[in-house]
Amino acid sequence: MTNDSPTFTPLMPTIGMEIHGIDLSKPVPDDAIQQINDMLCNNGILLFRDQHITPEQHIAFSQQFGRLEPHVADQFNLPGHPEIFIVSNIVENGRNIGASGGARHWHFDYSYREFPSLGSLFYCLECPAEGGQTQFAGMYAAYDALPEEKKAWLEDKKAVHDYVYYWENFVPHRGPLTAEQKAELQPVAQPIVHIHPETGRRTLYLAHNIATHIEGMEAEESHDIIEDLVAFATRPEFVYTHEWQANDLIFWDNRATMHRVLPFDEEHDRRRMHRTTLVNEGQAAEQSELAEAS
Ligand code: OGA
Ligand code: MN
């Protein structure tokens, strides 16, 4: 396989493509990277099956799309490779080898950072026979389906994303965050309507239980609005559910796709995933330029 002519087949009408003809353990030429990036931006997620890659190869492929940013919760980063965040329920030597029991709520990675994530590349090493699927909701289709009055009302609204609130209330079993970690995690306001910097299309940008309220509104009122929007945006027609097989890799676009994990038997089954996370450094500048131009 020379990796120079990838082909694609759709996963769902509104979201997702499976990619064929790419072996991530070998170099991927620039032309193919360009095609993969275009497909990602237009389809939200890309599935690569049957990949046999080392952490170095996972990192090298990811870096062809931008800069990687290690997770703030560095206790779950792969020793020697901080660019890889481990998501796992496995306990070794009395401690969790990765972040467990999180991500059950619909979200975008790093929405709580000043510069959120551009995309994540998630590689399955071990997965249960049942449960533990990841669901992806396509936010182009969700935004387009909103009533026009709702779109107009949302256009200038911002939601405040607060990861410390989420961690302490929804995943306290992961253990406390340190003072340094908390200092890096000040709440940030993000526009609810995002403009995708590469396609120019609008998306909905929210995160369930991380987006605590809408700026300038009462907590309770905004809570209901956020719940309704998340429910609308994750209706079945916008959602692809991925049944993992070991050696699958999914590249999702954190500017166009919301995701969450479904439950599994955490006590008896093993699930171990490696994630690299690209940061969207240019977001602030691009966002304001596009808003002016559109
Ligand atoms: C993540 C995430 C979902 C899953 O790692 O960003 O949300 O299926 N994971 O574990
Ligand atoms: Mn996530």
Side-chain angles (χ1 to χ4, degrees):
M1 199 180 285
T2 53
N3 281 344
D4 50 12
S5 44
T7 58
F8 301 87
T9 49
L11 295 172
M12 295 249 305
T14 52
I15 179 172
M17 283 281 169
E18 180 171 347
I19 178 165
H20 313 272
I22 293 285
D23 175 350
L24 297 176
S25 71
K26 307 221 167 76
V28 183
D30 289 347
D31 280 2
I33 292 290
Q34 196 53 52
Q35 283 182 59
I36 292 169
N37 189 57
D38 286 351
M39 276 294 176
L40 177 76
C41 292
N42 285 298
N43 297 283
I45 73 167
L46 298 179
L47 167 63
F48 303 73
R49 285 206 193 267
D50 201 24
Q51 301 294 327
H52 298 268
I53 51 169
T54 62
E56 289 83 357
Q57 288 164 339
H58 184 178
I59 291 168
F61 175 63
S62 307
Q63 285 173 331
Q64 289 188 271
F65 299 89
R67 187 173 73 82
L68 296 177
E69 187 165 274
H71 203 283
V72 177
D74 52 3
Q75 61 271 39
F76 300 131
N77 292 339
L78 184 67
H81 293 290
E83 301 89 344
I84 290 184
F85 183 61
I86 307 171
V87 175
S88 183
N89 65 318
I90 299 170
V91 175
E92 275 170 12
N93 304 318
R95 69 176 279 274
N96 259 295
I97 63 163
S100 74
R104 297 223 182 101
H105 305 266
W106 287 104
H107 66 282
F108 296 83
D109 296 329
Y110 294 177
S111 71
Y112 49 86
R113 313 231 51 178
E114 183 187 358
F115 301 123
S117 171
L118 180 154
S120 299
L121 295 96
F122 203 50
Y123 180 50
C124 176
L125 293 144
E126 292 180 66
C127 53
E130 264 178 55
Q133 302 93 332
T134 307
Q135 293 194 301
F136 300 92
M139 291 299 107
Y140 293 135
Y143 177 83
D144 290 348
L146 282 172
E148 292 306 318
E149 323 80 72
K150 194 77 170 179
K151 289 181 185 164
W153 187 81
L154 287 170
E155 186 70 15
D156 62 346
K157 298 288 182 298
K158 288 185 170 184
V160 176
H161 294 242
D162 184 346
Y163 196 54
V164 175
Y165 165 83
Y166 175 74
W167 187 286
E168 292 181 346
N169 289 283
F170 294 93
V171 289
H173 60 271
R174 287 186 188 172
L177 291 164
T178 64
E180 293 78 40
Q181 287 170 335
K182 283 192 185 182
E184 277 223 40
L185 291 167
Q186 299 299 321
V188 291
Q190 307 282 7
I192 295 177
V193 177
H194 263 224
I195 299 171
H196 192 291
E198 296 200 40
T199 62
R201 292 182 67 181
R202 280 174 165 69
T203 64
L204 275 178
Y205 196 82
L206 282 164
H208 198 204
N209 295 322
I210 295 176
T212 54
H213 64 281
I214 297 174
E215 236 181 16
M217 288 182 75
E218 296 290 330
E220 204 171 310
E221 193 185 0
S222 24
H223 180 81
D224 293 349
I225 294 172
I226 293 171
E227 294 275 313
D228 285 354
L229 279 172
V230 171
F232 180 90
T234 56
R235 293 191 332 204
E237 62 266 38
F238 308 132
V239 174
Y240 167 70
T241 301
H242 187 63
E243 303 275 350
W244 289 100
Q245 293 172 14
N247 307 310
D248 286 351
L249 182 142
I250 289 188
F251 186 178
W252 63 77
D253 185 340
N254 275 314
R255 302 159 299 184
T257 314
M258 230 176 8
H259 61 279
R260 70 168 177 184
V261 66
L262 293 181
F264 65 101
D265 184 348
E266 300 224 12
E267 215 176 299
H268 301 103
D269 287 341
R270 289 167 66 93
R271 189 173 189 266
R272 186 161 60 100
M273 320 290 269
H274 279 180
R275 184 183 104 194
T276 55
T277 317
L278 294 158
V279 62
N280 192 2
E281 295 177 277
Q283 167 151 319
E286 285 162 354
Q287 194 73 28
S288 57
E289 277 170 30
L290 277 160
E292 272 166 34
S294 70

